[in-house]
Amino acid sequence: MTTSRRGRGLLAVSAVSAAAIALAMTAGGADAAQNSGAEGKKPAQAEKQAAGKERKGNFDARTPNAKTTYARAAQVEGKETAAAKKFSESLGAQGVVSVDPNTGTPAQVTKLNGFLTGKSGKKATDIALGYVKAHPEVFKLSDADLGTLQLRKDYVDDLGTHHIFWTQVVDGVEVFGNGLKANVTKNGQLISVMGSPVSGLTTAAQTRSAAAAPKVTAAGARSAAIQDVGGTAKTATAKTAGADTTWSNGDTAKPVWFHTADGLRKGWMTYTNSGGKNIYSHVVDAQTGATLYRKDLVSEGNGDALVQDYYPGAPVGGTQRVENLIYNKWLPKNAKTLLDGTSVAAWADVNDDNQPNAGETVKVPGTKTGAEYKLTTFQNASSFCSASFICTWDPAKPDSWKVNMNQDVTNAFYLASNFHDWLAKPPISFTPAAGSFDAAGGDPVHLNALDGAATGADGGPDANHIDNANMSTPPDGTSPTMQMYLWHSPGATDAQDPWVPSSGANDASILYHEYTHGLSNRLVVDATGNSTLNSIQAGSMGEAWSDFYAMDYLVSHGLEKDTTKPGEVLEGRYVAHGDLFRTQAIDCRVHAVSPNCIQPDGSKGGYTYADFPTIGGSPEVHASGEVWAQTLWDLRERFGRAYAMSIITRAMELSPADPTMLDMRNAIVQADLVQSGGKNADTIWTVFANRGMGWYAGVVDGGDAYPAEDFHKPPTGATTTLSGTVKDKDTGAPVAGALVYIGGHSSGYAGDYAAATDAQGNYSITGVAPGTYPKVVVSAPGYELIVQSVKVTPGVKAAFTPRRNWAASSGGGTIAGFNGPDFSSSGCGPTGAIDNAQGTGWGSTTGDDNGTATNTMIAKHIDIKLPAKVNISDFNVDPSNTCGDPGSSSTGQYKIETSADGTTWATAAQGTFDATNRGKYNLVAPTGNATGVQYVRFWMLSPQVPDFQNNCPNGAFGGCKFTDMTEIQVFGTK
């Protein structure tokens, strides 16, 4: 019996999944980012038994992750007309034209040093659409295509800039994710156009509709989505309005078009909350029920009330004071029994069912004689408890959290309501029009304080509800859920769990961090309003913004000290009892000397871009994001709070989808262009260059965890042409149809700073500023992706010699056989191992085909038939987890066998991969049986679950159920 990929369960270790945990610690344990209860105070190094279960991550069948299939981009680049090239060149050296490899239309058109159009008194929408119509050579939209556009939103920020969104609609059904976005200044200058609109949509939709009617109902799509993440559908009544369905528990389903490089599909877009942190958005194929898209919406962390502004015991803001919740208009005048306010609804969700049950709600505080609720201290609960860090419960007495339940919920309500109002004020201006959380708009924050506090066997929290916090953020109009946990695991010593016994609801830095995930996920969106913070670069900025906005508030209000001395401003100061919570303080300048500004290798000073993969021991969003948070703090110090917060926030609204840190650097430069006319551009470039994010810095794309840093500002003067050849390393034959692009400027898309080779293997990229570019990328069907540094000077020619990858399906490799289940319908089948793209892979089960958790591996293999007999020189393997499975699902032990006829097999290589091998290719030399090979068999012999025998099947690791690998390449000569 086999099972579809959508039947795979939720196993994701909260503490491991970057998407799941907004506030996972990057200092505070040998595996703090994975295990909040480990000993010591060092950055994360390796996976250990985690605090909670691993969870399914993001998946997108359009570009399965940030590492898109470059062959598509090469094809798109090869089809670009002379007129399109002329348009790109007309924008100058700092122009940006990025073309989506799926649609062939622009993902982004903009300039960093000027506007696309001059001043105009026309309507902003007319300016943007007029520009699109005037340039069909670039946007490729016919009149019929333009007729599918429907204005979804046009809001004006506090600088007067219009942020405009059009969706594409055919036969009343909206296209998911694609459309148009435009940004127009108050003076009518067009800043940018984005969105990857679908051309030829009307014809494609009509053809698709005629070919197949939906077989999956709305209810079926809801069930499929919940099953995909291992949840259980809650019993709820359904209400249908037109084609849309809403369930009484808040789940929704609506029909959408979903466009991939393989064509248009009809699907169901769902929002499901199946309890706990199981909150996701999906697109489910309406014909097959397969998952086309999965977005983890959780980012992991009379009215007189007694509240504190920072944390219990803080020098400033650490003593309870009286705040009237009704006077501040956070609660209606007639509120009595529930903390259900104008922007926040709070309760103690101690059983973690996301519902305010009896005994979990808190009466509105305040009596005739005074304010409520006074905090009771538990100063014998831990050696960390002191007058400066007051403990609010005793983990040795789990029910002790009940003593401060009313106080806990009320304080959380106050902090979230207060931060809502703060973010709404200039210069941040996170208003209802921009997507803020408001009861009037139908999406107040559902704040679950003491979340899961009674889920353990002894009445305290279980392993999934301790030492963390999170915030899920659906699109505008649907309420987010914030979950605040208790800290310090019951039964753990202070050495094992180095956190103050407390609650996230009593730490403003934690709660404000979580709330800011709502800000970034509502501002960095696609044309249809879905968050695009998906890749490791974008996710790292998500965590960094959350730290930055939280600490900005605390410093602005004098609650956190910030002088000219570095190393003072600490996220999580309370729960870490004054020690480091992140690996460094947020105000560590480059080369700063401070005990809180020491890098993992012992060197002094804040981080630069090349530190991205090593800050926490390995690439991870919370640790890797520290370089971005420190850079933003540099901007704050350089420009002052008001201007820095303005351009940083406005840049989110100008951002392309799934941005890299270099993309966001560009957006901040553009935000200054809007506000000051570009007067501060040189200073902004100086700040970023100082952090290694200069003009020549390079990334392959948003999924690149190993960026190349550079310390130069944009060059001035004439541009030149980078040209040369791409030839087969072994044969010297020209390679046609290869994509050549300059990473950090094209980010894997066709467009500017990119070209495709002709039949003779020649390429030419015009309009390139001279200098050394560390990541020039070459990708061709049937060849390895190579990245090398190129110094561009007038007349320079750069030759590239990639090796033939004989296993690649694009070069003739095929899957001749495999065992285990087939998850091809969800984009996770065996062919994913040979598609030459690290964004996809082969996912299988650890034990039986049903994915039953086990501590005994049933070895899985794929057989690859090469297009010819080959003398193999090397294998190249990326053993990483795929399809949203967690890190422990990566291949551990492996074996590679070879055969001349597909019948007789012999071992060619074997070994063991660990966490350090993830996210990259690992060269494996054959130890024998490498000549005359036409078949290669790759065996997955174990997942990367630590202590697999003991941690499975009842442990928290996803590798107990699923084992994956991303890619295998085969090099050699025919």
Side-chain angles (χ1 to χ4, degrees):
M1 178 181 177
T2 60
T3 181
S4 68
R5 190 74 176 189
R6 58 191 172 91
R8 299 184 63 156
L10 167 66
L11 283 143
V13 79
S14 44
V16 177
S17 168
I21 304 294
L23 206 70
M25 295 61 66
T26 56
D31 188 34
Q34 283 84 6
N35 177 13
S36 53
E39 297 184 22
K41 284 285 177 182
K42 295 181 179 180
Q45 297 293 337
E47 281 174 324
K48 294 190 175 183
Q49 180 66 28
K53 287 188 174 182
E54 292 180 303
R55 56 190 287 109
K56 297 292 282 291
N58 300 329
F59 174 74
D60 192 334
R62 295 171 299 181
T63 51
N65 100 15
K67 294 192 173 181
T68 187
T69 303
Y70 296 104
R72 298 177 191 167
Q75 292 169 3
V76 168
E77 181 64 32
K79 294 178 181 178
E80 289 298 282
T81 64
K85 290 292 185 182
K86 183 178 180 180
F87 172 86
S88 295
E89 293 171 8
S90 72
L91 299 182
Q94 293 194 41
V96 178
V97 180
S98 295
V99 181
D100 190 299
N102 284 318
T103 63
T105 59
Q108 183 182 32
V109 174
T110 191
K111 292 175 66 175
L112 305 186
N113 58 350
F115 299 110
L116 296 174
T117 64
K119 294 181 179 180
S120 172
K122 295 180 180 179
K123 289 177 58 177
T125 51
D126 292 342
I127 292 168
L129 288 178
Y131 188 80
V132 171
K133 292 176 183 178
H135 294 288
E137 74 278 17
V138 176
F139 294 98
K140 303 178 179 67
L141 299 181
S142 66
D143 289 342
D145 294 324
L146 292 169
T148 68
L149 296 175
Q150 289 190 8
L151 183 65
R152 182 180 72 84
K153 190 175 188 178
D154 177 3
Y155 76 90
V156 181
D157 66 26
D158 63 339
L159 299 182
T161 301
H162 283 259
H163 302 285
I164 314 165
F165 302 77
W166 289 272
T167 58
Q168 290 186 274
V169 179
V170 177
D171 296 334
V173 177
E174 181 180 283
V175 177
F176 178 85
N178 298 94
L180 272 182
K181 289 174 58 180
N183 301 289
V184 181
T185 71
K186 64 180 179 181
N187 295 319
Q189 298 148 307
L190 182 62
I191 305 166
S192 58
V193 181
M194 295 175 276
S196 305
V198 180
S199 61
L201 177 61
T202 301
T203 300
Q206 291 171 347
T207 301
R208 182 68 183 172
S209 293
K215 297 178 181 178
V216 178
T217 64
R222 174 183 183 245
S223 297
I226 292 172
Q227 186 182 5
D228 174 63
V229 294
T232 301
K234 295 180 178 297
T235 301
T237 57
K239 182 179 180 180
T240 300
D244 299 354
T245 301
T246 301
W247 283 264
S248 55
N249 73 327
D251 290 355
T252 62
K254 77 170 188 176
V256 292
W257 294 109
F258 191 87
H259 183 272
T260 73
D262 298 323
L264 201 64
R265 305 191 196 185
K266 187 167 283 188
W268 291 98
M269 185 178 76
T270 66
Y271 167 81
T272 56
N273 183 338
S274 52
K277 292 176 291 186
N278 233 12
I279 306 171
Y280 285 83
S281 178
H282 282 77
V283 176
V284 175
D285 192 297
Q287 264 70 49
T288 67
T291 296
L292 298 174
Y293 172 91
R294 180 197 310 118
K295 174 70 174 178
D296 183 355
L297 297 177
V298 177
S299 293
E300 310 241 339
N302 299 256
D304 276 348
L306 292 171
V307 299
Q308 73 260 337
D309 292 298
Y310 196 178
Y311 61 82
V316 181
T319 302
Q320 284 189 299
R321 63 175 184 81
V322 177
E323 184 73 68
N324 190 279
L325 306 182
I326 295 175
Y327 175 80
N328 283 299
K329 298 182 180 179
W330 296 328
L331 284 173
K333 292 181 179 180
N334 58 352
K336 294 181 180 180
T337 58
L338 293 174
L339 294 179
D340 189 356
T342 53
S343 65
V344 179
W347 65 92
D349 191 27
V350 299
N351 66 351
D352 191 23
D353 68 349
N354 295 339
Q355 301 295 322
N357 302 304
E360 293 183 327
T361 59
V362 172
K363 180 182 72 69
V364 174
T367 68
K368 293 181 179 180
T369 57
E372 299 174 301
Y373 299 98
K374 187 176 181 181
L375 177 70
T376 299
T377 62
F378 289 83
Q379 295 304 82
N380 296 320
S382 163
S383 63
F384 303 134
C385 305
S386 67
S388 300
F389 303 104
I390 293 172
C391 296
T392 64
W393 77 301
D394 188 345
K397 302 174 182 178
D399 283 342
S400 63
W401 56 262
K402 295 180 179 179
V403 174
N404 284 318
M405 188 186 85
N406 288 341
Q407 179 274 332
D408 190 283
V409 177
T410 302
N411 201 72
F413 178 87
Y414 159 68
L415 290 176
S417 299
N418 175 63
F419 202 54
H420 167 276
D421 292 0
W422 171 254
L423 295 179
K425 298 176 181 177
I428 298 172
S429 303
F430 185 43
T431 61
S436 64
F437 311 112
D438 301 273
D443 60 353
V445 173
H446 289 172
L447 204 166
N448 299 349
L450 292 170
D451 193 79
T455 52
D458 55 4
D462 65 14
N464 292 318
H465 299 87
I466 197 73
D467 292 348
N468 226 315
N470 64 65
M471 171 91 160
S472 71
T473 311
D476 196 8
T478 301
S479 284
T481 299
M482 181 186 293
Q483 296 178 320
M484 293 286 116
Y485 297 163
L486 289 167
W487 288 72
H488 201 97
S489 299
T493 66
D494 286 351
Q496 293 169 330
D497 191 339
W499 312 114
V500 171
S502 56
S503 164
N506 277 307
D507 188 335
S509 75
I510 290 177
L511 192 143
Y512 291 164
H513 172 109
E514 297 308 330
Y515 201 110
T516 304
H517 278 295
L519 169 76
S520 59
N521 279 301
R522 285 279 171 92
L523 294 186
V524 185
V525 295
D526 61 24
T528 56
N530 298 289
S531 169
T532 65
L533 297 178
N534 300 322
S535 67
I536 190 164
Q537 291 254 336
S540 296
M541 287 189 288
E543 297 302 331
W545 282 315
S546 284
D547 281 355
F548 176 72
Y549 281 79
M551 303 318 294
D552 164 71
Y553 176 93
L554 296 174
V555 168
S556 297
H557 289 78
L559 301 172
E560 185 74 21
K561 183 179 179 181
D562 182 32
T563 67
T564 56
K565 181 181 178 181
E568 295 178 311
V569 185
L570 303 183
E571 166 73 23
R573 184 188 296 274
Y574 174 38
V575 295
H577 46 88
D579 209 336
L580 281 172
F581 184 79
R582 301 296 185 214
T583 67
Q584 287 190 357
I586 199 173
D587 61 331
C588 289
R589 306 179 196 97
V590 176
H591 305 308
V593 177
S594 166
N596 290 334
C597 302
I598 305 297
Q599 298 192 21
D601 64 359
S603 57
K604 297 178 181 179
Y607 297 116
T608 57
Y609 202 23
D611 294 319
F612 186 97
T614 61
I615 295 172
S618 60
E620 190 277 330
V621 289
H622 304 88
S624 299
E626 289 189 53
V627 64
W628 184 252
Q630 291 178 353
T631 304
L632 297 183
W633 205 263
D634 287 348
L635 290 173
R636 191 181 188 276
E637 290 184 337
R638 186 65 65 95
F639 289 110
R641 177 190 181 267
Y643 194 76
M645 298 308 293
S646 178
I647 59 176
I648 289 167
T649 308
R650 302 287 76 80
M652 292 188 200
E653 296 166 316
L654 299 176
S655 167
D658 204 23
T660 67
M661 290 185 179
L662 303 182
D663 290 327
M664 285 308 308
R665 171 205 65 192
N666 294 347
I668 289 173
V669 171
Q670 287 186 299
D672 173 70
L673 177 67
V674 173
Q675 189 156 354
S676 77
K679 294 178 181 178
N680 303 301
D682 185 72
T683 302
I684 294 171
W685 276 106
T686 298
V687 169
F688 279 101
N690 185 53
R691 289 286 181 173
M693 288 179 254
W695 175 260
Y696 300 102
V699 288
V700 175
D701 51 34
D704 189 349
Y706 298 86
E709 65 184 11
D710 171 74
F711 301 94
H712 293 83
K713 292 187 288 185
T716 58
T719 61
T720 187
T721 297
L722 171 62
S723 61
T725 58
V726 179
K727 295 183 179 181
D728 187 297
K729 183 175 183 179
D730 296 314
T731 68
V735 179
L739 176 69
V740 183
Y741 70 91
I742 298 177
H745 293 268
S746 288
S747 296
Y749 292 129
D752 61 310
Y753 276 59
T757 57
D758 61 18
Q760 287 72 47
N762 299 314
Y763 71 90
S764 180
I765 304 175
T766 59
V768 180
T772 300
Y773 294 89
K775 287 203 172 188
V776 179
V777 186
V778 178
S779 177
Y783 285 83
E784 65 176 328
L785 182 142
I786 59 175
V787 181
Q788 66 187 54
S789 176
V790 175
K791 184 177 182 180
V792 177
T793 57
V796 69
K797 293 185 180 295
F800 299 91
T801 54
R803 292 171 291 182
R804 174 76 184 267
N805 173 17
W806 293 94
S809 55
S810 58
T814 58
I815 297 296
F818 66 97
N819 70 335
D822 184 0
F823 294 127
S824 296
S825 63
S826 296
C828 307
T831 56
I834 60 170
D835 63 0
N836 234 15
Q838 288 176 280
T840 52
W842 169 42
S844 191
T845 55
T846 299
D848 61 32
D849 287 0
N850 295 315
T852 304
T854 180
N855 60 0
T856 301
M857 179 78 187
I858 297 176
K860 304 300 190 305
H861 70 85
I862 51 172
D863 299 343
I864 305 162
K865 183 179 181 181
L866 311 181
K869 289 191 175 182
V870 177
N871 294 329
I872 297 174
S873 58
D874 291 289
F875 303 101
N876 218 13
V877 180
D878 183 343
S880 304
N881 50 304
T882 190
C883 284
D885 291 332
S888 66
S889 294
S890 304
T891 294
Q893 290 183 317
Y894 70 92
K895 181 171 66 173
I896 302 175
E897 295 180 318
T898 57
S899 173
D901 56 9
T903 301
T904 303
W905 298 88
T907 299
Q910 56 188 336
T912 302
F913 296 117
D914 59 28
T916 63
N917 300 113
R918 298 179 198 165
K920 60 185 179 182
Y921 284 112
N922 301 272
L923 206 62
V924 176
T927 56
N929 305 303
T931 59
V933 173
Q934 190 156 17
Y935 293 85
V936 174
R937 174 176 284 175
F938 183 85
W939 286 95
M940 299 189 297
L941 301 179
S942 76
Q944 288 185 18
V945 176
D947 194 9
F948 176 51
Q949 193 67 30
N950 294 314
N951 278 339
C952 293
N954 295 320
F957 293 96
C960 300
K961 295 188 70 173
F962 301 108
T963 302
D964 308 332
M965 60 89 64
T966 292
E967 195 76 15
I968 179 171
Q969 298 180 326
V970 178
F971 302 136
T973 55
K974 187 174 179 180

